[in-house]
Amino acid sequence: MLTILGFAMIATFLVLIMLKKMSPIAALVLIPALFCVFVGKGAKLGDYVLDGVTSLAPTAAMLMFAIVYFGVMIDVGLFDPIVRGILKFCKADPLRIVIGTALLAAIVSLDGDGSTTFMITVSAMYPLYKRLKMSLVVMTGVAAMANGVMNTLPWGGPTARAATALKLDAGDIFVPMIPALAVGLLFVFVLAYVLGRRERTRLGVLTLDEVLVGGHVKEKETAERTETVLVGAGGSGPGATSAPAAGSGAAVGLGDDESGDGSEDDGFQGLDPRRATLRPRLYWFNALLTVGLLTSMIMELLPIPVLFLLGAALALTVNFPHIPDQKARLAAHADNVLNVSGMVFAAAVFTGVLQGTGMVDHMARWMVDVIPAGMGPHMALVTGVLSLPLTYFMSNDGFYFGVLPVLAEAGAAHGVTPLEMARASLVGQPLHMSSPLVPAVYVLVGMAKVEFGDHTRFVVKWAACTCLAILGAGILFGII
């Protein structure tokens, strides 16, 4: 019974948000609360929610201060050279822009943190997508898949969890998987090429000069100027001036199913090279601070939420020593902080009910039990296939610490080594990164102004294909 209710709860949630009948935050809270009553454990709902909030509170804190930190770094111009390099490569060609999105997301993903990757990628690419009226879900989908492949790095999370759960060395799991993961990343670039050609066919190719001229025309027509957290305008303190934008994108409704939420983006601005928040004299300080922060994350010198809290405080104090300017920066990024942290705590209700009622355990056992006995010698393949739905519908912690040991034990009875099982368990990560239970995906869709349901409809099929490409390569190379 719990198995059926668990799958029904997940299906109800996905259907409602994909059909846009409920917002993700409302669905994450109300649907599990309703199913908790159906299970007959409504009296324990409070305990389940508090357990979920307790487990996700560090993640929420990390995302809150990561958004502030990288928002400030974007404001002061740390990533402007990357943006200029990508723009130089893209040349207002939709094909190059989509490939550039995949490349940028893959490079930034080396830090092992999805929210960081999405903030930088969207900040760099969003102005170009809006200016050229490109499909925003192409941007979110390609970025999510590239990050999903790179998320398998030993310091990214899943590999470390698999190693811990099965008492293995993370290097022994990851290094042999590199060829298969390289095939997965290549598949993402090929897909980016295909999607880019489709966008080029739909929109044509412009030069950057033509794009900027169009932007200036629109700028003259629009009297209202509003700042976005992607850019950052001048501080509110003394000496803050209003710098003109390099170009202002038109308010665009793309009008197809892959265009995001279709809402107008009034007063949209690109990364203004003359914005008042730039701090060129502090560029190397900010660069060294960011490198030191990411290095400390990889070396695990302190918990990640603590590192971002300290980093955000230091970045604000050094770059904006006047309190009014610090308040202005916090206010500029408050919308993203509130949306993402709200999503995380709403997801805590969903995961708390799934785990507290025992639904997730029953679902996992059912999926293991339905595996035919004849598939025993092929448990690594089975694990790779199961990792797609299980890591999408469950947290990584639930899958790697709850399901993988059971699958590994079943595989061991048929001579399948734990290393093979651990490697196979990484296959589903490109799809996992778009799961409604992954907080970073709300950073992605929130900053890109894309409805989560639109993103899900677009990305699931392509992410699943990416996972299968990794699995096929692993089998072909004898890794799995």
Side-chain angles (χ1 to χ4, degrees), residues 112-180:
D113 178 54
S115 57
T116 302
T117 299
F118 297 147
M119 287 184 68
I120 295 173
T121 302
V122 174
S123 297
M125 305 307 296
Y126 180 85
L128 215 47
Y129 276 80
K130 287 293 288 185
R131 184 71 50 77
L132 298 179
K133 303 181 182 180
M134 292 176 63
S135 171
L136 291 173
V137 291
V138 170
M139 176 180 68
T140 60
V142 168
M145 288 183 285
N147 178 251
V149 175
M150 299 298 290
N151 192 46
T152 55
L153 291 165
W155 55 87
T159 303
R161 288 180 174 89
T164 302
L166 300 183
K167 297 179 175 59
L168 300 170
D169 181 77
D172 292 338
I173 298 173
F174 176 74
V175 174
M177 277 292 289
I178 290 176

Side-chain angles (χ1 to χ4, degrees), residues 331-342:
H333 302 291
D335 186 44
N336 262 351
V337 170
L338 180 60
N339 285 336
V340 172
S341 59

Side-chain angles (χ1 to χ4, degrees), residues 43-305:
K44 295 184 178 181
L45 177 62
D47 294 334
Y48 299 154
V49 172
L50 288 179
D51 288 342
V53 169
T54 301
S55 65
L56 288 180
T59 300
M62 182 272 289
L63 289 174
M64 288 172 62
F65 291 104
I67 290 171
V68 172
Y69 179 83
F70 284 104
V72 169
M73 290 298 110
I74 292 165
D75 291 339
V76 300
L78 178 62
F79 303 110
D80 281 19
I82 298 177
V83 175
R84 286 194 293 268
I86 292 291
L87 289 176
K88 186 176 180 180
F89 166 78
C90 293
K91 298 180 180 177
D93 179 0
L95 172 59
R96 291 185 174 217
I97 290 171
V98 179
I99 293 176
T101 302
L103 180 62
L104 180 59
I107 292 173
V108 181
S109 293
L110 289 171
D111 75 342
D113 178 54
S115 57
T116 302
T117 299
F118 297 147
M119 287 184 68
I120 295 173
T121 302
V122 174
S123 297
M125 305 307 296
Y126 180 85
L128 215 47
Y129 276 80
K130 287 293 288 185
R131 184 71 50 77
L132 298 179
K133 303 181 182 180
M134 292 176 63
S135 171
L136 291 173
V137 291
V138 170
M139 176 180 68
T140 60
V142 168
M145 288 183 285
N147 178 251
V149 175
M150 299 298 290
N151 192 46
T152 55
L153 291 165
W155 55 87
T159 303
R161 288 180 174 89
T164 302
L166 300 183
K167 297 179 175 59
L168 300 170
D169 181 77
D172 292 338
I173 298 173
F174 176 74
V175 174
M177 277 292 289
I178 290 176
L181 295 172
V183 170
L185 193 58
L186 178 61
F187 182 88
V188 173
F189 282 112
V190 171
L191 178 60
Y193 176 83
V194 172
L195 295 173
R197 279 188 64 88
R198 189 173 71 179
E199 288 294 282
R200 178 196 276 177
T201 300
R202 184 170 69 89
L203 300 169
V205 180
L206 297 174
T207 66
L208 280 177
D209 288 339
E210 289 174 323
V211 172
L212 291 176
V213 167
H216 285 305
V217 171
K218 181 66 180 180
E219 190 175 285
K220 292 177 182 178
E221 296 173 352
T222 306
E224 181 183 0
R225 300 289 187 85
T226 59
E227 82 170 339
T228 72
V229 295
L230 299 179
V231 181
S236 60
T241 59
S242 177
S248 177
V252 176
L254 297 182
D256 57 42
D257 290 338
E258 299 175 358
S259 61
D261 60 7
S263 62
E264 292 189 350
D265 191 21
D266 295 331
F268 170 76
Q269 297 176 353
L271 281 173
D272 182 1
R274 294 166 292 175
R275 59 191 184 277
T277 57
L278 289 176
R279 298 293 184 268
R281 294 181 180 179
L282 294 173
Y283 183 86
W284 289 111
F285 166 80
N286 289 317
L288 290 173
L289 177 62
T290 302
V291 170
L293 177 63
L294 298 179
T295 302
S296 300
M297 286 171 53
I298 294 171
M299 297 178 65
E300 299 180 351
L301 297 181
L302 286 172
I304 293 178

